[in-house]
């Protein structure tokens, strides 16, 4: 008898379960297009990129070793990159973190003009004309920003432009905690 | 009437210019492999790989830049003699399981893969259970036979029978 009563409750329980799933699926703070990055918690991929200026040094994975760093993929043809550009200066100024720029699938002449016009927030710039390094980072587009800890492990990835709000609430605190 | 040769000439010029423009070297342009069999294999493999920015499209059918880049990366690796599994591992290491249109079978996707079969099994289980219950119930007549009469009921039946067919009035 007890068993049968339980059986009657089953549809109601199932309905509640599906209701809960649907409610969770529609929750406003859930972004179904947000993707987990395969790189988080993994060491930064190897790269060895030619510099923008002919006489400058190459940008390699050795540059990002030993301290907290930011890697920012950008391109002169990318409009949102322009929008986030001023915030990149803040990263260096307010948090003392070197920002390394990787020009993704951009003609060197265009990159040079972009940097000339906008100023350089980058400690160093590497050119990824063929997009190979971008692929190794699992890049989906530009701009994209990665934060690496002292041991060169990728701790954060932002596959969209930086914004002031996120800088204050997400990236700033993370940089501070990584630097300790 | 005489205009069509001119139109044709202009069309030819426009098309020509278009083709010339398309020839500009560009890392995101598709570069099909020379070996048709290998290209066919690469194309078949591209059906399994999701375009990460267009979510529900395979890179084979996407016009996105990243899709073209992944296509060329796949071709390069195939030309270098790597097989599908190796290339799949290469892509998953960079873009995660999301890059596969067919989700892999692992603990986090267990419900997805096994769930439907479990539901069907439960359905069959319930069906069998009900059928067995029905089969058990009919031959014994447990469900249909009237319950046994209690002592007082039996006495009442005897009394009623003794009163006769006309009811209480005729047999006083």
């Amino acid at each position: 008898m007890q068993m049968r009563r339980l059986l009657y409750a089953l549809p109601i329980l199932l309905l509640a379960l599906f209701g809960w799933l649907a409610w969770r699926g529609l929750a406003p703070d859930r972004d179904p297009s947000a993707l987990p990055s395969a790189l988080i918690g993994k060491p930064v991929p190897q790269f060895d990129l030619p510099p923008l200026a002919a006489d400058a040094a190459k940008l390699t994975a050795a540059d990002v070793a030993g301290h907290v760093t930011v890697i920012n993929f950008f391109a002169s043809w990318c409009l949102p990159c322009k929008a986030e550009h001023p915030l990149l200066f803040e990263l260096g100024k307010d948090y003392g973190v070197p920002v390394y720029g990787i020009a993704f699938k951009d003609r060197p002449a265009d990159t040079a003009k972009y940097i000339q016009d906008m100023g350089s927030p980058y400690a160093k710039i590497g050119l990824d004309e063929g997009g190979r390094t971008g692929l190794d980072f699992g890049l989906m587009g530009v701009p994209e920003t990665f934060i690496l800890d002292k041991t060169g492990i990728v701790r954060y990835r932002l596959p969209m432009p930086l914004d002031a709000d996120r800088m204050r609430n997400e990236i700033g605190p993370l940089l501070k905690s990584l630097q300790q | 009437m005489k205009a069509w040769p001119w139109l044709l000439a202009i069309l030819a010029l426009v098309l020509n210019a278009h083709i010339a423009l398309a020839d500009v070297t560009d890392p995101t342009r598709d570069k099909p492999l020379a070996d048709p069999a290998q290209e066919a294999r690469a194309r078949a493999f591209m059906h399994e790989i999701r375009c990460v920015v267009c979510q529900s499209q395979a890179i084979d059918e996407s016009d996105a830049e990243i899709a073209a880049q992944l296509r060329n990366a796949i071709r390069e690796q195939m030309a270098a003699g790597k097989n599908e599994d190796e290339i799949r591992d290469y892509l998953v290491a960079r873009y995660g399981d999301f890059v596969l249109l067919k989700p892999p079978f692992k603990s986090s996707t267990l419900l997805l893969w096994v769930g439907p079969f479990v539901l069907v099994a439960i359905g069959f289980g319930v069906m069998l259970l009900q059928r067995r219950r029905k089969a058990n119930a009919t031959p014994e007549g447990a469900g249909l036979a009237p319950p046994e009469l209690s002592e007082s009921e039996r006495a009442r039946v005897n009394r009623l029978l003794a009163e006769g067919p006309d009811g209480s009035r005729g047999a006083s």
Side-chain angles (χ1 to χ4, degrees), chain A residues 4-155:
Chain A
R4 177 164 299 181
R5 195 170 297 168
L6 249 148
L7 216 61
Y8 283 131
L10 197 65
I12 296 166
L13 281 174
L14 275 177
L15 186 73
L17 181 72
F18 280 113
W20 177 72
L21 282 174
W23 182 80
R24 215 185 56 144
L26 291 171
D29 57 335
R30 179 179 171 273
D31 179 10
S33 62
L35 298 174
S37 175
L39 220 56
I40 303 277
K42 298 225 176 86
V44 66
Q46 284 300 312
F47 56 91
D48 186 351
L49 300 168
L52 182 56
D55 54 343
K58 288 201 289 190
L59 176 65
T60 67
D63 285 312
V64 299
H67 47 264
V68 179
T69 49
V70 173
I71 295 180
N72 176 249
F73 282 85
F74 71 101
S76 68
W77 46 263
C78 144
L79 206 59
C81 297
K82 266 185 192 161
E84 71 164 10
H85 202 80
L87 288 169
L88 291 171
F89 286 98
E90 280 180 28
L91 281 176
K93 216 164 46 198
D94 296 355
Y95 302 100
V97 184
V99 182
Y100 294 99
I102 297 180
F104 180 67
K105 283 195 204 160
D106 201 6
R107 294 191 193 92
D110 293 346
T111 310
K113 184 166 186 314
Y114 177 81
I115 292 298
Q116 205 177 3
D117 293 348
M118 307 278 295
S120 175
Y122 303 117
K124 236 172 171 183
I125 295 174
L127 302 178
D128 182 26
E129 251 188 290
R132 167 76 35 191
T133 298
L135 197 73
D136 285 342
F137 273 80
L139 210 67
M140 293 194 213
V142 272
E144 221 165 276
T145 304
F146 295 84
I147 295 175
L148 316 178
D149 68 12
K150 286 173 189 160
T151 55
I153 305 284
V154 179
R155 290 294 173 201

Side-chain angles (χ1 to χ4, degrees), chain B residues 124-143:
Chain B
F124 267 110
V126 168
M127 220 169 77
L128 278 177
L129 215 75
Q130 266 182 343
R131 185 170 286 193
R132 189 183 303 166
R133 185 180 295 163
K134 218 183 226 172
N136 279 348
T138 349
E140 282 174 21

